Amino acid sequence: MSCSPQTWASGAVLLLLQACLGLRVDSPQKKILFSNSYLPRFLSEVHIFGLRVAEVSIDLSLIRHETAVGINVLRRDRQVTVVTVK
């Protein structure tokens, strides 16, 4: 049995973005981890607003550079750690 649109299709874009950014959220430690982040050539920047980590909300801006992705914290309402790993 299938639905139109398929339920999995609505989350596919977010899962692809999570995979490209190597994004992992560790709620108990209040930590956001980016591992080997990559943005495809057609996507120069991504803004993530209202990302929840436990009870904390954070806004991020990610910008593609030639060999890396720059990550800027635009806003956070309490302490959360953002870690990048190459």
Side-chain angles (χ1 to χ4, degrees), residues 26 29-32 53 56-58 73 75-82:
D26 183 349
Q29 297 296 319
K30 296 183 181 153
K31 187 183 295 185
I32 301 171
V53 180
V56 181
S57 178
I58 187 168
V73 176
R75 182 198 62 81
R76 62 179 147 204
D77 56 14
R78 281 181 253 162
Q79 184 60 40
V80 62
T81 303
V82 179

Side-chain angles (χ1 to χ4, degrees), residues 4-85:
S4 183
Q6 296 287 332
T7 304
W8 59 265
S10 62
V13 172
L14 297 176
L15 291 172
L16 286 170
L17 183 60
Q18 181 182 9
C20 283
L21 297 176
L23 174 62
R24 197 177 97 225
V25 176
D26 183 349
S27 288
Q29 297 296 319
K30 296 183 181 153
K31 187 183 295 185
I32 301 171
L33 210 64
F34 290 93
S35 179
N36 297 315
S37 297
Y38 169 81
L39 287 175
R41 193 173 295 271
F42 68 86
L43 191 58
S44 61
E45 57 187 72
V46 172
H47 301 278
I48 301 172
F49 298 103
L51 179 62
R52 300 291 300 179
V53 180
E55 71 281 352
V56 181
S57 178
I58 187 168
D59 297 340
L60 301 166
S61 174
L62 298 99
I63 301 172
R64 179 178 49 79
H65 297 284
E66 189 65 34
T67 60
V69 174
I71 302 169
N72 295 307
V73 176
L74 302 175
R75 182 198 62 81
R76 62 179 147 204
D77 56 14
R78 281 181 253 162
Q79 184 60 40
V80 62
T81 303
V82 179
V83 178
T84 60
V85 179

